[in-house]
Amino acid sequence: MIGFLSSYGQKLYKIEKDQFGEPLLNNKAEYSFTEKPSEEDLKKIDTTAYYVQIFEDQYHNENEVKNPTIIIFHDDGYFRETSLLAFGKFDEHRGKNSVYYGGKYKIKNNNIQLEQFGNSPDSKNWYTRYITKGKIENNKIIFNEGLVSVFEKRKNLSIK
């Protein structure tokens, strides 16, 4: 998960899992972002590319560097979030309505917001909705909430 998750004071949603263990959103736990990105929005991100977490000027442990987070934006307002080592492993049973798929995004000017659901601490079926804010700068997206996370646009998944 990209964002810093804090459930203090947040609304909790009970989300049941399907037969494959995927927590699926329902009519009581839905995304608040409902608009599809405009053509202008889609010029600011590349829906044919991968946005791969990079670790410039920051110390990270070796496991983080070997398994960066990857974001793939879709033109319908959804994004997929995965990691390099998990890429493609859960595709068979994980659709856009799964909490673990990723979430939805919206863009205004050069600002981007990601909306996701994450586990509430100490709970298996309770989730919190949260929004992470970032800035689009050329071929990078920078999230400054909690720990700074930088994602660089790439056409393939080879790690430098």
Side-chain angles (χ1 to χ4, degrees):
M1 275 187 276
I2 296 168
F4 174 75
L5 181 60
S6 171
S7 62
Y8 180 76
Q10 299 270 335
K11 182 175 179 179
L12 295 175
Y13 300 87
K14 185 166 183 150
I15 299 177
E16 299 296 333
K17 295 181 179 170
D18 69 8
Q19 69 268 28
F20 305 109
E22 291 293 321
L24 301 180
L25 297 178
N26 55 51
N27 61 355
K28 293 182 181 176
E30 298 176 307
Y31 294 112
S32 65
F33 294 178
T34 56
E35 291 182 31
K36 288 186 178 182
S38 68
E39 285 186 38
E40 197 61 35
D41 294 337
L42 293 173
K43 290 178 184 175
K44 296 175 181 161
I45 58 166
D46 188 342
T47 58
T48 66
Y50 306 99
Y51 285 82
V52 179
Q53 185 178 17
I54 58 172
F55 303 98
E56 55 187 24
D57 302 328
Q58 295 181 30
Y59 171 77
H60 291 273
N61 71 47
E62 193 174 324
N63 290 336
E64 287 177 302
V65 175
K66 287 181 180 177
N67 191 29
T69 299
I70 299 165
I71 303 172
I72 303 165
F73 294 97
H74 304 298
D75 61 4
D76 63 359
Y78 282 88
F79 71 90
R80 178 177 167 208
E81 181 182 354
T82 186
S83 68
L84 183 65
L85 297 178
F87 190 83
K89 285 188 179 180
F90 304 102
D91 290 356
E92 184 179 356
H93 301 294
R94 185 166 292 166
K96 290 179 182 177
N97 63 336
S98 171
V99 168
Y100 299 144
Y101 184 84
K104 293 193 84 173
Y105 70 93
K106 70 178 177 180
I107 297 172
K108 184 169 184 172
N109 300 319
N110 286 336
N111 297 310
I112 188 166
Q113 294 182 7
L114 305 181
E115 180 180 22
Q116 297 174 278
F117 284 84
N119 273 100
S120 180
D122 303 322
S123 177
K124 293 181 181 180
N125 293 326
W126 291 91
Y127 292 79
T128 303
R129 176 198 332 251
Y130 63 99
I131 295 173
T132 306
K133 298 176 183 176
K135 189 153 195 75
I136 302 168
E137 294 183 3
N138 300 317
N139 288 331
K140 292 183 182 176
I141 300 174
I142 302 164
F143 297 99
N144 278 324
E145 296 182 347
L147 298 174
V148 175
S149 296
V150 179
F151 290 78
E152 183 176 67
K153 181 174 94 169
R154 300 207 181 138
K155 288 295 184 178
N156 62 53
L157 288 180
S158 64
I159 302 302
K160 296 176 184 175

